Amino acid sequence: MTMDAAADLLQVANRVAVLTGAGISAESGIPTFRDALSGLWASYDPEELATPAAFRRNPQLVWDWYAERRAKVAEARPNQGHFALVEIERRVPEFTLLTQNVDGLHREAGSRHVVELHGNIRRVRCSDEGIVVERWVEGEERPPRCPRCSGFLRPDVVWFGEDLPEGALEAAGRSAEECDLFLSVGTSNLVVPAASLPWQAHRHGAPVIVINTTVEGQHSGPGIHHLVGKAGEVLPALVRAAWPTDRTAW
Ligand code: APR
């Protein structure tokens, strides 16, 4: 698809839904999961680190791994891809941002209507009671304990085999079915239920634009379009093409 054709779809859209994955944060220095060499799962076994069973088996190993990732996220800043989505949200009547990312960079960039499908690594919660704990002390004992029940604290993210946060999937499904344009940005579309959202939108008649550095493994067919490139370059170019005279953009 050409940038102009994509811009034409965006200019006339009233309800835009966007699904983002690790690819949009790659340019902020946060590794993706499945990119061949650099992806996290290339050097770590998700079964050993991102499942409830792994946490029961070795809570300290899992806590330390997430603490390392949390430190990387704390150093990262939103990039032009994140900011371009803020600009789109400012200009279209209805906008929903569905993210699989746990880094919190969309909100940091200024996005408002965000659904965190896989939680947020900046938060922790009690593994027994499930309550979110705002402040915790990284002491000798890792994981630290819940101040209320002394259960282990765990990252407030969704592990393999766990349900999405309450209401998140329903909200995401609604915005996918009601949108008149769906953007899928920087995701390998391998992990369900998030990966089914673009096709839910497509089944309800919305054109889908896939923005990714590759078309490999991505869906294709009538109504599914591709803009190949880095999100931090393609999204700003799309905003400029859709609103060329609007110089209020960043
Ligand atoms: N711009 C756009 N796309 C990019 C960029 C970039 N700069 N860099 C990489 N990509 C693409 C890759 O081609 C790949 O298709 O981003 C995608 C990243 O895919 P994954 O690493 O599989 O990440 P994601 O789709 O978010 O994973 C889904 O899996 O591991 C679980 O819970 C975790 O939320 C995660 C879920």
Side-chain angles (χ1 to χ4, degrees):
M1 156 176 262
T2 64
M3 188 59 77
D4 286 347
D8 292 346
L9 287 177
L10 187 52
Q11 266 164 2
V12 298
N14 288 307
R15 291 179 302 282
V16 174
V18 180
L19 175 69
T20 63
I24 196 168
S25 293
E27 293 153 81
S28 294
I30 300 178
T32 67
F33 293 92
R34 290 175 189 82
D35 276 334
L37 301 172
S38 61
L40 286 169
W41 299 147
S43 32
Y44 299 100
D45 176 356
E47 291 305 319
E48 287 309 315
L49 292 162
T51 63
F55 187 69
R56 280 192 298 278
R57 253 194 327 270
N58 193 338
Q60 182 171 324
L61 173 73
V62 173
W63 178 267
D64 289 350
W65 190 67
Y66 278 91
E68 201 185 303
R69 287 182 57 201
R70 193 179 298 116
K72 275 217 182 75
V73 162
E75 285 160 20
R77 296 278 76 76
N79 63 61
Q80 292 303 314
H82 296 102
F83 292 120
L85 291 177
V86 175
E87 294 303 320
I88 296 175
E89 182 170 13
R90 259 171 15 99
R91 287 175 175 74
V92 298
E94 282 179 48
F95 179 94
T96 310
L97 179 43
L98 315 167
T99 189
Q100 299 167 86
N101 299 344
V102 296
D103 55 36
L105 291 180
H106 285 302
R107 285 221 171 89
E108 192 178 318
S111 289
R112 289 173 304 118
H113 200 197
V114 180
V115 179
E116 292 179 323
L117 296 165
H118 294 166
N120 189 315
I121 200 171
R122 302 181 191 207
R123 289 191 306 262
V124 300
R125 70 173 197 259
C126 171
S127 56
D128 293 347
E129 297 178 312
I131 55 158
V132 170
V133 173
E134 295 301 334
R135 266 178 287 286
W136 69 94
V137 180
E138 297 274 3
E140 275 305 300
E141 186 183 21
R142 301 184 321 279
R145 301 274 177 174
C146 170
R148 269 171 45 132
C149 75
S150 298
F152 279 138
L153 294 179
R154 55 158 286 174
D156 189 22
V157 299
V158 176
W159 283 331
F160 291 103
E162 292 189 317
D163 293 335
L164 272 53
E166 202 172 329
L169 191 55
E170 294 71 23
R174 234 184 352 266
S175 65
E177 290 181 4
E178 293 169 1
C179 75
D180 54 13
L181 178 61
F182 194 101
L183 306 182
S184 169
V185 182
T187 180
S188 56
N189 282 312
L190 291 173
V191 176
V192 293
S196 65
L197 293 164
W199 325 125
Q200 211 171 333
H202 186 243
R203 280 197 305 279
H204 283 74
V208 173
I209 302 178
V210 178
I211 297 171
N212 197 297
T213 45
T214 175
V215 292
E216 217 182 297
Q218 299 287 334
H219 286 63
S220 58
I224 302 173
H225 311 284
H226 294 267
L227 290 174
V228 179
K230 292 183 171 181
E233 294 162 7
V234 171
L235 286 167
L238 179 58
V239 169
R240 280 192 289 275
W243 297 284
T245 55
D246 184 337
R247 283 285 163 255
T248 61
W250 70 101

